[in-house]
Amino acid sequence: MRILISGGAGFLSSHLTDLLLSQGHEVVGVDNFITGNRDNVAHLSGNDKYKLIEADVCEPLKIDGPIDRIYHMASPASPIGYVKHQVATVKVNSQGTWNLLELSLEKNARFLVASTSECYGDPAVHPQREDYWGNVNPIGLRSMYDEPKRFAEACTMAYHRERKADTRIIRIFNTYGPRMDPYDGRVVISFIRQALNNEPLTVFGDGKQTRSLCYVTDLVRGINLVMEADFIEPINLGNPQELTILDIAKEVLSLIPESKSTITHQPMPPDDPKVRCPDITRAKQILGWQPVVSRREGLSKMIEFYRDQLTGR
Ligand code: UDP
């Protein structure tokens, strides 16, 4: 197949690209490099099945030749990233989704949109199942991400119902692994960077808020399975093992025993969800998918990736 990935030079997209190329497909990545990074796909230069186009999917996109699948992955995705690029985040998840749905009709391509656990906001139901409608502050400091992602889902369902677009929706929970931007502020990469640099690990609030962490290869395998499955409604993708942020800090420190870092507490950002954990019953039933990489294994791989890079060794 010939497959288009918006946000093609992003963290998740670059791993998804590796998976799709390994399956023998051709991949066209599109990125405007607001948060994407050419280094993430540098290893693919010279691969004649891979092409990277610099373009903004908020503008109408002209792609020559057939396209069989569109993965709409483009968007700033870290709280720091989407607050820094608020208007771009709103646009890529609204106008960008709309444009790519139009392209999917033009090319007769199947379309998948990367939605998010942020659709559940600060959840009143725990763990989060796909039939929970969420608790989102529509004007808060995450609203430029949460609400357009919710719109992206609504837009996708409208194209599916009225225009018969062939669509898929995933809700991605916290994911970690190599190629995350070391300075995008997300928790795992921040703690690893801080520990490797012997700086204090910055735990926000008392650190009792929870997240669940999925290793990137598990996640992209799930994304690909959703695309190829016959199921229209949203599917949660994430690791259901929930832990506190304080536990994440301690685990990172235990895996970098030479670190001289300590743990320090900083104020809790506004609208920070207190708990988050996916119910992945649907993914298990429909896709036969669940994460297989243990946290210890995933964190160790990630630490190895950044050890040389961040310490200048
Ligand atoms: N967090 C933290 N210290 C950091 C970065 C994040 O304590 O240096 C906390 C943050 O307050 C949140 C959790 O870790 O409760 C996950 O934050 P992240 O930015 O990774 O993503 P989120 O799940 O909030 O979208």
Side-chain angles (χ1 to χ4, degrees), residues 110-129:
R110 184 175 292 174
F111 171 90
L112 176 146
V113 66
S115 184
T116 165
S117 57
E118 287 287 333
C119 285
Y120 302 120
D122 190 5
V125 168
H126 191 66
Q128 292 76 57
R129 281 167 38 132

mmCIF file of all heavy atoms in Angstrom, residues 110-129:
data_model
loop_
_atom_site.group_PDB
_atom_site.id
_atom_site.type_symbol
_atom_site.label_atom_id
_atom_site.label_comp_id
_atom_site.label_asym_id
_atom_site.label_seq_id
_atom_site.Cartn_x
_atom_site.Cartn_y
_atom_site.Cartn_z
ATOM 1 N N ARG A 110 -8.552 4.849 3.233
ATOM 2 C CA ARG A 110 -9.046 4.722 4.609
ATOM 3 C C ARG A 110 -8.327 5.761 5.484
ATOM 4 O O ARG A 110 -7.134 6.002 5.304
ATOM 5 C CB ARG A 110 -8.787 3.309 5.124
ATOM 6 C CG ARG A 110 -9.370 3.091 6.502
ATOM 7 C CD ARG A 110 -9.204 1.648 6.942
ATOM 8 N NE ARG A 110 -10.025 0.732 6.161
ATOM 9 C CZ ARG A 110 -9.976 -0.588 6.273
ATOM 10 N NH1 ARG A 110 -9.130 -1.143 7.127
ATOM 11 N NH2 ARG A 110 -10.761 -1.354 5.538
ATOM 12 N N PHE A 111 -9.081 6.360 6.426
ATOM 13 C CA PHE A 111 -8.565 7.469 7.235
ATOM 14 C C PHE A 111 -8.590 7.104 8.716
ATOM 15 O O PHE A 111 -9.619 6.634 9.221
ATOM 16 C CB PHE A 111 -9.455 8.692 6.982
ATOM 17 C CG PHE A 111 -9.198 9.860 7.891
ATOM 18 C CD1 PHE A 111 -8.283 10.843 7.548
ATOM 19 C CD2 PHE A 111 -9.888 9.996 9.094
ATOM 20 C CE1 PHE A 111 -8.049 11.932 8.383
ATOM 21 C CE2 PHE A 111 -9.659 11.079 9.938
ATOM 22 C CZ PHE A 111 -8.736 12.052 9.579
ATOM 23 N N LEU A 112 -7.488 7.314 9.386
ATOM 24 C CA LEU A 112 -7.450 7.111 10.849
ATOM 25 C C LEU A 112 -7.032 8.407 11.514
ATOM 26 O O LEU A 112 -6.048 9.036 11.103
ATOM 27 C CB LEU A 112 -6.458 6.005 11.201
ATOM 28 C CG LEU A 112 -6.207 5.725 12.703
ATOM 29 C CD1 LEU A 112 -5.940 4.225 12.928
ATOM 30 C CD2 LEU A 112 -5.053 6.538 13.284
ATOM 31 N N VAL A 113 -7.777 8.811 12.549
ATOM 32 C CA VAL A 113 -7.396 10.015 13.282
ATOM 33 C C VAL A 113 -6.851 9.638 14.659
ATOM 34 O O VAL A 113 -7.424 8.809 15.370
ATOM 35 C CB VAL A 113 -8.567 11.025 13.402
ATOM 36 C CG1 VAL A 113 -9.719 10.486 14.252
ATOM 37 C CG2 VAL A 113 -8.078 12.357 13.967
ATOM 38 N N ALA A 114 -5.714 10.272 14.999
ATOM 39 C CA ALA A 114 -5.118 10.065 16.323
ATOM 40 C C ALA A 114 -5.790 11.006 17.302
ATOM 41 O O ALA A 114 -5.474 12.185 17.362
ATOM 42 C CB ALA A 114 -3.613 10.332 16.265
ATOM 43 N N SER A 115 -6.734 10.484 18.050
ATOM 44 C CA SER A 115 -7.324 11.255 19.138
ATOM 45 C C SER A 115 -6.576 10.891 20.426
ATOM 46 O O SER A 115 -5.494 10.297 20.371
ATOM 47 C CB SER A 115 -8.826 10.982 19.232
ATOM 48 O OG SER A 115 -9.399 11.795 20.227
ATOM 49 N N THR A 116 -7.143 11.231 21.550
ATOM 50 C CA THR A 116 -6.325 11.216 22.771
ATOM 51 C C THR A 116 -7.149 10.941 24.028
ATOM 52 O O THR A 116 -8.344 11.259 24.088
ATOM 53 C CB THR A 116 -5.627 12.593 22.920
ATOM 54 O OG1 THR A 116 -5.128 12.729 24.248
ATOM 55 C CG2 THR A 116 -6.596 13.748 22.701
ATOM 56 N N SER A 117 -6.473 10.448 25.032
ATOM 57 C CA SER A 117 -7.096 10.297 26.351
ATOM 58 C C SER A 117 -7.523 11.649 26.913
ATOM 59 O O SER A 117 -8.334 11.701 27.837
ATOM 60 C CB SER A 117 -6.097 9.644 27.307
ATOM 61 O OG SER A 117 -4.908 10.402 27.372
ATOM 62 N N GLU A 118 -6.955 12.750 26.387
ATOM 63 C CA GLU A 118 -7.369 14.085 26.844
ATOM 64 C C GLU A 118 -8.842 14.347 26.556
ATOM 65 O O GLU A 118 -9.437 15.258 27.137
ATOM 66 C CB GLU A 118 -6.507 15.175 26.198
ATOM 67 C CG GLU A 118 -5.095 15.259 26.733
ATOM 68 C CD GLU A 118 -5.000 15.865 28.137
ATOM 69 O OE1 GLU A 118 -5.871 16.655 28.516
ATOM 70 O OE2 GLU A 118 -4.042 15.521 28.840
ATOM 71 N N CYS A 119 -9.441 13.585 25.661
ATOM 72 C CA CYS A 119 -10.896 13.695 25.425
ATOM 73 C C CYS A 119 -11.678 13.422 26.707
ATOM 74 O O CYS A 119 -12.810 13.861 26.844
ATOM 75 C CB CYS A 119 -11.345 12.694 24.373
ATOM 76 S SG CYS A 119 -10.882 13.187 22.743
ATOM 77 N N TYR A 120 -11.079 12.661 27.617
ATOM 78 C CA TYR A 120 -11.756 12.346 28.877
ATOM 79 C C TYR A 120 -11.530 13.447 29.922
ATOM 80 O O TYR A 120 -12.143 13.415 30.994
ATOM 81 C CB TYR A 120 -11.269 10.998 29.429
ATOM 82 C CG TYR A 120 -11.477 9.824 28.482
ATOM 83 C CD1 TYR A 120 -10.400 9.072 28.013
ATOM 84 C CD2 TYR A 120 -12.749 9.483 28.047
ATOM 85 C CE1 TYR A 120 -10.592 7.999 27.148
ATOM 86 C CE2 TYR A 120 -12.950 8.415 27.173
ATOM 87 C CZ TYR A 120 -11.857 7.681 26.732
ATOM 88 O OH TYR A 120 -12.055 6.637 25.875
ATOM 89 N N GLY A 121 -10.622 14.399 29.629
ATOM 90 C CA GLY A 121 -10.361 15.504 30.560
ATOM 91 C C GLY A 121 -9.851 15.010 31.903
ATOM 92 O O GLY A 121 -9.028 14.086 31.965
ATOM 93 N N ASP A 122 -10.329 15.655 32.971
ATOM 94 C CA ASP A 122 -10.022 15.200 34.332
ATOM 95 C C ASP A 122 -11.133 14.212 34.680
ATOM 96 O O ASP A 122 -12.214 14.609 35.117
ATOM 97 C CB ASP A 122 -10.013 16.416 35.285
ATOM 98 C CG ASP A 122 -9.458 16.048 36.661
ATOM 99 O OD1 ASP A 122 -9.003 14.903 36.852
ATOM 100 O OD2 ASP A 122 -9.496 16.920 37.545
ATOM 101 N N PRO A 123 -10.926 12.930 34.481
ATOM 102 C CA PRO A 123 -12.054 11.999 34.372
ATOM 103 C C PRO A 123 -12.769 11.711 35.692
ATOM 104 O O PRO A 123 -12.139 11.530 36.727
ATOM 105 C CB PRO A 123 -11.406 10.725 33.818
ATOM 106 C CG PRO A 123 -9.976 10.812 34.215
ATOM 107 C CD PRO A 123 -9.618 12.264 34.301
ATOM 108 N N ALA A 124 -14.092 11.662 35.603
ATOM 109 C CA ALA A 124 -14.916 11.301 36.759
ATOM 110 C C ALA A 124 -15.210 9.803 36.759
ATOM 111 O O ALA A 124 -15.824 9.288 37.683
ATOM 112 C CB ALA A 124 -16.215 12.098 36.730
ATOM 113 N N VAL A 125 -14.808 9.110 35.703
ATOM 114 C CA VAL A 125 -14.978 7.655 35.609
ATOM 115 C C VAL A 125 -13.588 7.053 35.460
ATOM 116 O O VAL A 125 -12.768 7.539 34.671
ATOM 117 C CB VAL A 125 -15.851 7.294 34.380
ATOM 118 C CG1 VAL A 125 -15.794 5.798 34.102
ATOM 119 C CG2 VAL A 125 -17.282 7.750 34.581
ATOM 120 N N HIS A 126 -13.320 5.995 36.212
ATOM 121 C CA HIS A 126 -11.956 5.480 36.242
ATOM 122 C C HIS A 126 -11.956 3.970 36.381
ATOM 123 O O HIS A 126 -12.671 3.453 37.236
ATOM 124 C CB HIS A 126 -11.220 6.120 37.431
ATOM 125 C CG HIS A 126 -9.753 5.865 37.412
ATOM 126 N ND1 HIS A 126 -8.926 6.367 36.443
ATOM 127 C CD2 HIS A 126 -8.955 5.155 38.252
ATOM 128 C CE1 HIS A 126 -7.680 5.973 36.683
ATOM 129 N NE2 HIS A 126 -7.682 5.246 37.765
ATOM 130 N N PRO A 127 -11.194 3.217 35.586
ATOM 131 C CA PRO A 127 -10.449 3.633 34.398
ATOM 132 C C PRO A 127 -11.382 4.124 33.289
ATOM 133 O O PRO A 127 -12.607 3.940 33.396
ATOM 134 C CB PRO A 127 -9.710 2.378 33.968
ATOM 135 C CG PRO A 127 -10.041 1.288 34.928
ATOM 136 C CD PRO A 127 -11.098 1.778 35.849
ATOM 137 N N GLN A 128 -10.809 4.712 32.246
ATOM 138 C CA GLN A 128 -11.631 5.310 31.199
ATOM 139 C C GLN A 128 -11.978 4.281 30.120
ATOM 140 O O GLN A 128 -11.095 3.688 29.512
ATOM 141 C CB GLN A 128 -10.898 6.505 30.552
ATOM 142 C CG GLN A 128 -10.742 7.688 31.487
ATOM 143 C CD GLN A 128 -9.652 7.478 32.537
ATOM 144 O OE1 GLN A 128 -8.514 7.233 32.170
ATOM 145 N NE2 GLN A 128 -10.000 7.558 33.808
ATOM 146 N N ARG A 129 -13.296 4.113 29.934
ATOM 147 C CA ARG A 129 -13.800 3.288 28.830
ATOM 148 C C ARG A 129 -14.210 4.210 27.698
ATOM 149 O O ARG A 129 -14.531 5.372 27.934
ATOM 150 C CB ARG A 129 -15.039 2.508 29.276
ATOM 151 C CG ARG A 129 -14.748 1.273 30.087
ATOM 152 C CD ARG A 129 -16.015 0.764 30.738
ATOM 153 N NE ARG A 129 -17.192 0.901 29.874
ATOM 154 C CZ ARG A 129 -18.070 -0.081 29.662
ATOM 155 N NH1 ARG A 129 -17.898 -1.251 30.230
ATOM 156 N NH2 ARG A 129 -19.128 0.133 28.899
#
